[in-house]
């Protein structure tokens, strides 16, 4: 079990980073649902491929290998949804903060009084 946990710790970044890149490349317009679906499909596909490689390396029977691939593809969906949602939230929060900082840097003039032009008294 300890070996499986250690392998999992290594494979998680190898799963989410490529799946996130696939989702980002496919949805340049930033649509959340489309990005979520594509990223989940990429993560499920990668998880199935990784599980197939492990099954072949350990000599697992074909039926068990297929079942393992299916379970791995389904098991990765919830963490992938969480990953995409958190990443989208962080990006949105950064955009809001940048807008707020830009708004605070713009000089505001008194209400009802136009800004004075240079050279006028």
């Amino acid at each position: 079990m300890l070996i499986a946990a250690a392998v999992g710790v290594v494979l998680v970044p190898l799963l989410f980073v490529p799946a996130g890149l696939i989702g980002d490349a496919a949805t340049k317009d930033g649509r959340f649902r489309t990005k979520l679906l594509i990223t989940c499909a990429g993560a499920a596909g990668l998880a199935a491929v990784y599980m197939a490689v492990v099954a072949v390396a350990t000599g697992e029977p074909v039926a068990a290998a297929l079942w393992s691939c299916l379970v791995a593809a389904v098991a990765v969906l919830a963490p992938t949804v969480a990953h995409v949602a958190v990443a989208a939230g962080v990006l949105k929060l950064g955009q809001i903060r940048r807008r707020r900082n830009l708004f605070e840097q713009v000089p505001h003039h008194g209400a009802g009084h136009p800004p004075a032009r240079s050279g006028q008294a």
Side-chain angles (χ1 to χ4, degrees):
M1 190 67 156
L2 185 59
I3 293 171
V7 170
V9 168
V10 172
L11 290 182
V12 166
L14 293 176
L15 179 75
F16 288 121
V17 172
L21 292 174
I22 291 168
D24 287 339
T27 57
K28 295 199 183 240
D29 61 351
R31 297 188 128 188
F32 178 75
R33 288 186 179 147
T34 307
K35 185 176 190 175
L36 180 65
L37 290 173
I38 292 171
T39 304
C40 283
L46 288 171
V49 168
Y50 293 158
M51 187 53 73
V53 169
V54 170
V56 168
T58 59
E60 194 173 330
V62 174
L66 292 175
W67 181 249
S68 298
C69 290
L70 178 65
V71 169
V74 171
V76 76
L77 293 179
T80 304
V81 169
H83 172 75
V84 172
V86 168
V90 167
L91 288 175
K92 188 71 169 177
L93 185 61
Q95 291 173 351
I96 290 170
R97 284 186 178 172
R98 271 185 255 122
R99 285 184 195 149
R100 187 180 306 150
N101 287 340
L102 286 174
F103 181 74
E104 289 172 356
Q105 291 175 359
V106 174
H108 299 285
H109 303 288
H113 300 291
R117 293 186 181 176
S118 61
Q120 291 184 348

